[in-house]
């Protein structure tokens, strides 16, 4: 499972979409709708990793919103070990 927490650091309600990958496997999280300013949303996605060989991988998740003034905080990554 890939767990994410998103925080709306802006001043408006936001609709947030998410896309990510583990190695060569891409996935999308369910969209967060009407996230209020200063609020957070936590969610997880079960990602099927069949086909990955044992080893270390970067799990990367990027959030996207319309009219984003600060793109620098939209990407998160974590290094994980896949044990087959």
């Amino acid at each position: 499972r890939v767990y994410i927490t998103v925080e709306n650091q802006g001043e408006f309600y936001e609709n947030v979409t998410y896309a990510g990958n583990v190695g060569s496997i891409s996935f999308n999280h369910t969209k967060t709708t009407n996230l209020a300013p200063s609020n957070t949303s936590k969610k997880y996605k079960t990602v099927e990793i069949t086909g990955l060989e044992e080893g270390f991988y970067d799990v990367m998740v990027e959030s996207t919103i319309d009219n984003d003034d600060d793109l620098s905080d939209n990407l998160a990554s974590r290094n994980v070990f896949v044990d087959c």
Side-chain angles (χ1 to χ4, degrees), residues 1-3 44-47:
R1 290 183 178 172
V2 176
Y3 291 86
Y44 72 87
K45 174 80 171 183
T46 301
V47 178

Side-chain angles (χ1 to χ4, degrees), residues 11-60:
E11 299 174 2
F12 305 100
Y13 281 77
E14 302 286 0
N15 297 320
V16 187
T17 58
Y18 313 93
N21 63 40
V22 179
S24 62
I25 298 173
S26 298
F27 59 89
N28 292 306
H29 267 280
T30 305
K31 182 177 186 174
T32 300
T33 305
N34 293 324
L35 183 61
S38 301
N39 280 8
T40 60
S41 174
K42 296 181 181 184
K43 55 179 58 196
Y44 72 87
K45 174 80 171 183
T46 301
V47 178
E48 179 60 51
I49 59 170
T50 301
L52 289 182
E53 295 182 14
E54 185 173 292
F56 286 96
Y57 293 88
D58 287 322
V59 177
M60 301 182 74

